[in-house]
Amino acid sequence: MKCFTSLLSVALLLAASVQGSQHIQKKHVRRQGPSAVPPAPTASTPAPAPPAPLAASSAIKRGLSFNDASLTKSFTSSQVSWAYNWDSAYQGSLPAGVNYFPMLFSAAPDHSTQWEANAKAAIAKGSTHLLFINEPDLSSQANTSPQDAAKQWMQFMQPFAGQATLVSPAITNGAPPMGTGWMDDFLAECDKLGCQVDAIAAHIYDSATNIAYYKQYITDLGTRYKRPVLITEFGASGTVEQQQQFLQTMIPFLNGLDSVTHYAWFMTAVGNLVNADGSLTPLGQTYVSS
């Protein structure tokens, strides 16, 4: 994901090596360092009706990031409440009661051409959130300037104001001008244009042993932007045992942090959260039980 300057460079390089073997052929073929490859466009497909909205205090924040919907079959709506695939539609089915969040990966025509129709269809089927461009601060991802992103927001997202929660571009945890530096510039430009940005999306990767950094970074996002925060990707480099210990601490922390409304581990892929038959790995079991 990143080529950061600062201490994060080392951490992210470590992270990048963790899940290289999981690369799926679609969009998020990722490593453990911030981002992925855009998914191939898919036609709009029915998304399952979401459960009735829950009070913030009792809502399930845990979600799934996926390329292959069939690999989500062993999860239930009592464990996860939402899912996304870095695209605006998906093939197959998600567990009953799991809300699909469509994303406009970038403004490139292969994503934006079908965006309006797919977003409308998803909202009609119960989608509560619309996600915007993926890691615009990373050259291998959406690679978009804050100024261009704000203009694209007005074209593609603003028309849906009031119909769903509109979520900002998902930034990396790179040092400025990446990460929060990029987001600051985006929101400043949005203030000029009149964008309605309802929530903030962010990704974070580092070592599984650096829990204090995760807690501080995520907490600071809520304080800095004074909006609900969605951690739409997070991962941690280390052994499976270290990752399990990490999740056993981080999941309760995220569940208890009022500013965070949703989060998703990277990712629902074979060898990560699930086995080839879709059953949960030990890490997947830790993710849903912590």
Side-chain angles (χ1 to χ4, degrees):
M1 206 63 265
K2 336 181 168 248
C3 301
F4 305 147
T5 55
S6 86
L7 290 178
L8 282 179
S9 338
V10 176
L12 291 174
L13 284 174
L14 289 172
S17 66
V18 173
Q19 295 186 33
S21 63
Q22 301 185 357
H23 294 196
I24 304 184
Q25 66 213 42
K26 231 182 174 184
K27 173 237 143 43
H28 241 53
V29 194
R30 186 225 264 350
R31 44 336 51 135
Q32 261 294 181
S35 201
V37 257
T42 53
S44 179
T45 56
L54 300 175
S57 59
S58 61
I60 297 171
K61 301 181 181 183
R62 188 186 296 107
L64 302 174
S65 60
F66 70 94
N67 286 154
D68 181 353
S70 71
L71 295 177
T72 68
K73 66 182 181 181
S74 293
F75 296 91
T76 70
S77 60
S78 65
Q79 299 167 331
V80 298
S81 64
W82 69 286
Y84 83 111
N85 64 339
W86 301 275
D87 204 355
S88 58
Y90 66 96
Q91 297 178 340
S93 60
L94 295 174
V98 172
N99 197 198
Y100 175 66
F101 291 5
M103 168 184 265
L104 177 62
F105 182 87
S106 78
D110 56 339
H111 299 295
S112 60
T113 300
Q114 65 269 25
W115 167 249
E116 181 179 3
N118 284 354
K120 285 181 176 178
I123 291 172
K125 293 177 176 69
S127 294
T128 58
H129 292 63
L130 298 184
L131 307 179
F132 197 38
I133 53 182
N134 187 70
E135 295 179 348
D137 52 335
L138 191 65
S139 60
S140 62
Q141 293 300 298
N143 191 28
T144 308
S145 72
Q147 294 73 28
D148 286 345
K151 293 174 185 175
Q152 292 164 10
W153 180 281
M154 293 302 293
Q155 179 179 357
F156 297 112
M157 294 289 280
Q158 193 62 31
F160 293 101
Q163 300 178 50
T165 297
L166 305 185
V167 185
S168 79
I171 54 171
T172 70
N173 58 311
M178 298 173 72
T180 55
W182 189 99
M183 185 66 75
D184 291 348
D185 290 345
F186 168 75
L187 293 175
E189 193 66 23
C190 269
D191 285 343
K192 300 175 188 175
L193 299 181
C195 314
Q196 178 179 316
V197 182
D198 299 322
I200 300 295
H203 298 168
I204 180 169
Y205 293 87
D206 203 275
S207 168
T209 60
N210 199 7
I211 291 176
Y213 166 64
Y214 283 84
K215 289 184 175 181
Q216 189 64 60
Y217 180 83
I218 294 171
T219 299
D220 287 350
L221 289 172
T223 303
R224 186 185 193 100
Y225 298 117
K226 297 177 174 58
R227 292 173 170 88
V229 173
L230 290 80
I231 303 299
T232 51
E233 285 184 31
F234 74 111
S237 61
T239 65
V240 172
E241 291 74 17
Q242 288 174 325
Q243 291 174 328
Q244 288 178 294
Q245 291 171 4
F246 170 84
L247 288 175
Q248 287 167 353
T249 298
M250 283 302 300
I251 298 302
F253 170 77
L254 293 170
N255 286 339
L257 189 61
D258 289 343
S259 57
V260 171
T261 60
H262 300 79
Y263 58 81
W265 176 262
F266 183 85
M267 65 177 288
T268 309
V270 175
N272 190 324
L273 293 183
V274 297
N275 297 304
D277 62 358
S279 62
L280 302 189
T281 61
L283 185 64
Q285 292 169 7
T286 299
Y287 181 56
V288 298
S289 64
S290 295

